[in-house]
Amino acid sequence: MSANVDLYKSSYSNYSLETYSEIRVETYGEDFGQTSWVSTEESHEIPELLRLSSSSRILEIGCGSGGYAVALAKRLGCRVVGFEIDASGVKTATALAEKEDVSDIVEFAQHDASKQLPYEDGSFDGIFSTDVMCHVPGRKEVLTNTYEMLKPGGRFVFSDALVIGGVVSNEEIATRSSIGMYFFSPPGVNEQLIKESGFTLVEARDTTESSARLSKRWHDAREKRKDALIASESNDTFLGIQRFLECVHTLTSERRLLRFLYTCEKQ
Ligand SMILES: C[S@@+](CC[C@H](N)C(=O)[O-])C[C@H]1O[C@@H](n2cnc3c(N)ncnc32)[C@H](O)[C@@H]1O
């Protein structure tokens, strides 16, 4: 299904514009190029949850504009591989790695997480994916492939912002899905698929509050810069993204859609 509102392409191709950077700082506090519901506290906790060290080799599934992968490599000195389905994300990520002088330890590629991936079994110490799994068909297969790509003892940390928490209307589902293909799941299904894929579930943490808070901040930061955004992304895209963000805020603040962060381990 193609997106009606192109949130990702417009965010990644306008990544380096000052207005977009200001919006990210106002939304998240720290600019990692985010287009998700990851709080800055969660971004800083990911290396700890994955138990990373400077000798780790890690994979990010759905790396967006690559800002977080680059920051991680710079901070830890570890090797990072990131892939993304959106070509403008990969282009921005590759340019960023060069600009930040980490191209020797960070690589980006364009792949679809639902397809066969070119990475060897047992080749990563840790894998993470922030708010991407809800876009990808075949969750059981993605989890199984992820399990296989990890070394024994390795961890997979991922979030799912589309766990059903209450009654949601067809109109709300349409607006919430206006930026791309989406899979909504009932509570407990991720936990079940994680176990069926061979993982031990270390933690399932409810982070719905982050989605509620960040969607409001993102919406308001964009609204303040309406004229500049309309000039770079068009009036229709601007309005579509604002409607999407309002919808996320309503659904998560009323806990009708929930976000969970899962930490899984291959034993
Ligand atoms: C909510 S954004 C998160 C991006 C980044 N992880 C972050 O935290 O800002 C979801 C990302 O998943 C990517 N994506 C969607 N479907 C995908 C797929 N099948 N394979 C790889 N990436 C995908 C989108 O293009 C988008 O960049």
Side-chain angles (χ1 to χ4, degrees):
M1 190 181 102
S2 64
N4 298 324
V5 179
D6 213 337
L7 169 66
Y8 298 136
K9 191 166 175 229
S10 69
S11 302
Y12 303 150
S13 48
N14 291 316
Y15 173 86
S16 53
L17 296 184
E18 188 58 30
T19 311
Y20 287 79
S21 170
E22 282 171 15
I23 291 169
R24 291 191 294 267
V25 170
E26 214 164 293
T27 303
Y28 301 97
E30 211 170 323
D31 183 5
F32 293 122
Q34 307 91 322
T35 54
S36 63
W37 319 114
V38 61
S39 65
T40 293
E41 296 73 34
E42 186 179 307
S43 295
H44 284 296
E45 202 186 343
I46 286 175
E48 199 183 304
L49 292 172
L50 289 171
R51 301 186 295 199
L52 300 182
S53 71
S54 57
S55 61
S56 303
R57 180 173 186 254
I58 54 176
L59 176 68
E60 180 173 9
I61 299 175
C63 59
S65 54
Y68 184 67
V70 166
L72 208 53
K74 280 182 78 173
R75 198 174 122 211
L76 294 180
C78 58
R79 285 166 298 154
V80 187
V81 177
F83 77 85
E84 170 51 60
I85 199 167
D86 186 286
S88 48
V90 178
K91 191 173 164 208
T92 302
T94 305
L96 189 66
E98 271 165 33
K99 182 170 164 255
E100 296 293 329
D101 206 17
V102 287
S103 301
D104 54 333
I105 52 171
V106 185
E107 59 184 91
F108 295 106
Q110 187 179 11
H111 297 301
D112 178 342
S114 68
K115 304 269 164 38
Q116 182 82 31
L117 295 169
Y119 308 114
E120 280 177 25
D121 286 356
S123 59
F124 293 103
D125 299 285
I127 302 181
F128 68 100
S129 187
T130 303
D131 296 338
V132 179
M133 293 288 271
C134 57
H135 288 299
V136 185
R139 189 163 312 179
K140 172 76 190 301
E141 288 70 32
V142 177
L143 284 165
T144 305
N145 291 341
T146 307
Y147 181 88
E148 282 164 2
M149 290 187 289
L150 276 173
K151 293 180 187 168
R155 284 185 168 187
F156 178 38
V157 171
F158 76 96
S159 50
D160 180 5
L162 288 189
V163 176
I164 302 279
V167 176
V168 184
S169 73
N170 64 327
E171 214 169 294
E172 287 167 330
I173 289 194
T175 306
R176 185 62 181 81
S177 310
S178 60
I179 65 160
M181 179 157 66
Y182 269 123
F183 298 89
F184 297 76
S185 60
V189 165
N190 282 319
E191 287 83 343
Q192 186 190 324
L193 294 176
I194 286 166
K195 284 183 193 148
E196 284 174 15
S197 310
F199 283 111
T200 298
L201 179 62
V202 176
E203 186 190 21
R205 187 190 304 174
D206 187 329
T207 56
T208 309
E209 188 276 330
S210 301
S211 307
R213 178 166 40 93
L214 296 171
S215 51
K216 172 93 174 88
R217 291 172 69 115
W218 192 352
H219 174 277
D220 293 354
R222 284 175 53 83
E223 200 64 40
K224 276 199 224 164
R225 296 163 177 86
K226 184 176 177 171
D227 293 343
L229 292 177
I230 290 174
S232 55
E233 64 192 32
S234 88
N235 193 45
D236 283 354
T237 300
F238 173 78
L239 292 175
I241 295 176
Q242 294 304 85
R243 261 195 308 274
F244 165 77
L245 293 171
E246 264 175 59
C247 179
V248 174
H249 179 67
T250 303
L251 289 172
T252 50
S253 55
E254 294 174 8
R255 294 190 56 82
R256 290 187 283 134
L257 264 193
L258 310 174
R259 180 183 190 267
F260 279 86
L261 179 71
Y262 302 95
T263 301
C264 319
E265 192 166 311
K266 174 172 179 171
Q267 292 187 324

